[in-house]
Amino acid sequence: VRNANDITRRLDAGAARVVVGSLSVTDSRGFISWLKHFGAEKLVAALDIRIDEQGVPWPRIHGWTDQGDRDMWQLLDELADGGLKHLLCTDISRDGAMSGPNLDLYSAITKRYPRLHLQASGGVSNLDDLEQLKPTRASGVITGKALLEKRFSVVEALGVLR
């Protein structure tokens, strides 16, 4: 998604929500204007996060090749104040690694921003990981590689998450 026309085309094609990645970081003001124009229910900010040596989460952009100009907390303060409702957050150190989700990161996000609907992404490898995500209060979870490798079924996952 590079502009408002991209969003319009996707919504007109039947998408319930449109995920916006790097632009939600590099042009947060523009993204907030889209939240107002299209409605906060129609957009998701997708933040790919790398945590530095001091434990600070930094958004990565352009296919993880560059770092955003402010940390995730500073960015989320602005986006939440601007009306953000839906956040997809990926801990890129765990993406595809199936090493378990970053429970501390997702718990910190939902504690600090209780109105955000968080989709946790990165690290899920088994049904126990899904069970462990429950206390984080994430609204959803991305289970891509685990499903692809048939570690569990969608039916089994939904059973755990109910």
Side-chain angles (χ1 to χ4, degrees), residues 77-91:
D77 284 348
E78 179 187 7
L79 294 179
D81 286 346
L84 180 68
K85 284 188 173 183
H86 297 278
L87 171 66
L88 167 58
C89 183
T90 302
D91 178 342

Side-chain angles (χ1 to χ4, degrees), residues 101-155:
N102 189 334
L103 303 173
D104 292 337
L105 175 64
Y106 305 134
S107 293
I109 291 169
T110 58
K111 182 177 181 181
R112 190 164 177 171
Y113 307 98
R115 292 189 180 112
L116 282 184
H117 298 274
L118 170 67
Q119 295 176 46
S121 176
V124 171
S125 66
N126 56 51
L127 294 172
D128 189 50
D129 288 340
L130 297 178
E131 187 67 42
Q132 290 179 28
L133 273 166
K134 284 181 175 181
T136 71
R137 297 184 35 230
S139 299
V141 58
I142 305 297
T143 58
K145 189 171 182 182
L147 284 174
L148 183 67
E149 293 190 359
K150 298 181 179 5
R151 299 284 182 104
F152 51 81
S153 70
V154 171
V155 171

Side-chain angles (χ1 to χ4, degrees), residues 5-121:
N5 276 347
D6 291 344
I7 296 169
T8 299
R9 283 197 332 268
R10 285 162 173 80
L11 293 173
D12 287 350
R17 282 194 194 100
V18 177
V19 177
V20 180
S22 292
L23 276 175
S24 66
V25 177
T26 62
D27 185 10
S28 54
R29 286 184 186 174
F31 180 75
I32 289 169
S33 75
W34 293 345
L35 289 171
K36 293 177 186 349
H37 177 76
F38 293 102
E41 283 299 328
K42 299 290 185 180
L43 297 176
V44 179
L47 302 183
D48 297 331
I49 300 300
R50 182 173 311 270
I51 299 170
D52 71 14
E53 300 80 30
Q54 290 76 40
V56 178
W58 289 89
R60 300 296 294 186
I61 53 177
H62 305 121
W64 304 349
T65 59
D66 297 315
Q67 180 172 290
D69 62 354
R70 55 202 155 140
D71 70 40
M72 181 189 74
W73 303 120
Q74 294 166 328
L75 177 62
L76 281 178
D77 284 348
E78 179 187 7
L79 294 179
D81 286 346
L84 180 68
K85 284 188 173 183
H86 297 278
L87 171 66
L88 167 58
C89 183
T90 302
D91 178 342
I92 62 177
S93 71
R94 298 175 188 228
D95 191 48
M98 297 204 310
S99 58
N102 189 334
L103 303 173
D104 292 337
L105 175 64
Y106 305 134
S107 293
I109 291 169
T110 58
K111 182 177 181 181
R112 190 164 177 171
Y113 307 98
R115 292 189 180 112
L116 282 184
H117 298 274
L118 170 67
Q119 295 176 46
S121 176

